[in-house]
Amino acid sequence: NAGVTQTPKFRILKIGQSMTLQCAQDMNHNYMYWYRQDPGMGLKLIYYSVGAGITDKGEVPNGYNVSRSTTEDFPLRLELAAPSQTSVYFCASSTPGARGVAFFGQGTRLTVV
Amino acid sequence: GESVGLHLPTLSVQEGDNSIINCAYSNSASDYFIWYKQESGKGPQFIIDIRSNMDKRQGQRVTVLLNKTVKHLSLQIAATQPGDSAVYFCAEVTGANSKLTFGKGITLSVRP
């Protein structure tokens, strides 16, 4: 059982470039989330989705976009990358009524130079 | 600002001793509180949770205590082992969509 799979694991972007971070889960979870984790800090919610076709902003959505066309996939799009977006990005999924217990992917370490 | 925070950034304990990790929260409306463990290079992993109407919950070698009067949460790890070395996050769950809000994290270091 793969759980939550994120690709790529590492990426270096130049300022102004764009990229998509991929996230896929095989647990048939309705809820999916994107978090970022800055050094020495906790996780901050970027976007989340409660089901296919439904997305909502989290705490720090600026500079990002998401889509949820299927239950399994929840890609995160960075347009015009900025140094402030250097971080580790985690995707997570959970089921409704799971009391917030989420399964996390291994993370994508992004550096913008 | 963050509604969940941790008092200390690092904690060093002797192998075999008990560890206590503390957390303060500010949102009285939170439904659940969760402790996550994050090992180096990995995503957070669920340890234990507690519902807001409970005071204590025990798992295997771990106990979570909730004091709603002072909005304080703690994680106790019995007989700490080297494999317990990690960053620990408390998180609160709010709303119908079960949004998680994480604290900054505390690093637990176990001395042999």
Side-chain angles (χ1 to χ4, degrees), chain A residues 7 16-17 28 34 36 41 53 66 74 84-85 100:
Chain A
T7 55
Q17 286 186 319
N28 202 32
W34 273 107
R36 61 175 286 173
M41 303 294 286
V66 293
F74 190 40
S84 62
Q85 293 178 304

Side-chain angles (χ1 to χ4, degrees), chain A residues 7-27:
Chain A
T7 55
K9 287 188 171 55
F10 303 94
R11 183 73 185 267
I12 298 175
L13 277 182
K14 293 184 178 178
I15 294 172
Q17 286 186 319
S18 61
M19 76 165 293
T20 299
L21 282 67
Q22 302 291 343
C23 176
Q25 53 93 7
D26 61 0
M27 297 173 282

Side-chain angles (χ1 to χ4, degrees), chain A residues 31 33 35 37 40-45 48 50 57 90 97 99-102 104-106, chain B residues 2 32 34 36 38 41-44 46 49 57 89 93 96-100 102-104:
Chain A
Y31 292 3
Y33 312 84
Y35 291 89
Q37 184 177 30
M41 303 294 286
L43 288 88
K44 294 189 176 181
L45 182 64
Y48 67 101
V50 299
K57 294 179 180 179
F90 288 100
R99 312 188 308 276
V101 177
F104 284 80
Q106 295 292 297
Chain B
E2 296 188 8
Y32 282 91
I34 303 176
Y36 279 89
Q38 186 177 25
K42 296 184 178 180
F46 169 83
D49 65 342
R57 189 164 188 223
F89 293 98
V93 182
N97 293 329
S98 300
K99 279 197 294 186
L100 288 170
F102 284 85
K104 285 188 173 63

Side-chain angles (χ1 to χ4, degrees), chain B residues 66-111:
Chain B
L66 177 62
N67 185 331
K68 294 180 285 296
T69 302
V70 295
K71 297 181 183 176
H72 183 269
L73 186 71
S74 69
L75 176 70
Q76 300 178 2
I77 304 174
T80 311
Q81 303 170 357
D84 295 326
S85 294
V87 177
Y88 289 81
F89 293 98
C90 64
E92 55 183 329
V93 182
T94 53
N97 293 329
S98 300
K99 279 197 294 186
L100 288 170
T101 302
F102 284 85
K104 285 188 173 63
I106 182 168
T107 300
L108 177 65
S109 176
V110 181
R111 303 189 303 273

Side-chain angles (χ1 to χ4, degrees), chain B residues 11-61:
Chain B
L11 176 66
S12 179
V13 299
Q14 189 73 38
E15 181 179 356
D17 287 351
N18 296 335
S19 302
I20 300 176
I21 303 172
N22 296 306
C23 176
Y25 66 93
S26 60
N27 190 345
S28 301
S30 295
D31 302 310
Y32 282 91
F33 299 89
I34 303 176
W35 282 100
Y36 279 89
K37 173 185 180 183
Q38 186 177 25
E39 296 175 315
S40 180
K42 296 184 178 180
Q45 185 176 16
F46 169 83
I47 302 174
I48 190 169
D49 65 342
I50 186 167
R51 192 168 181 165
S52 59
N53 63 355
M54 298 172 65
D55 298 322
K56 180 179 179 179
R57 189 164 188 223
Q58 286 185 298
Q60 188 176 16
R61 279 203 309 119

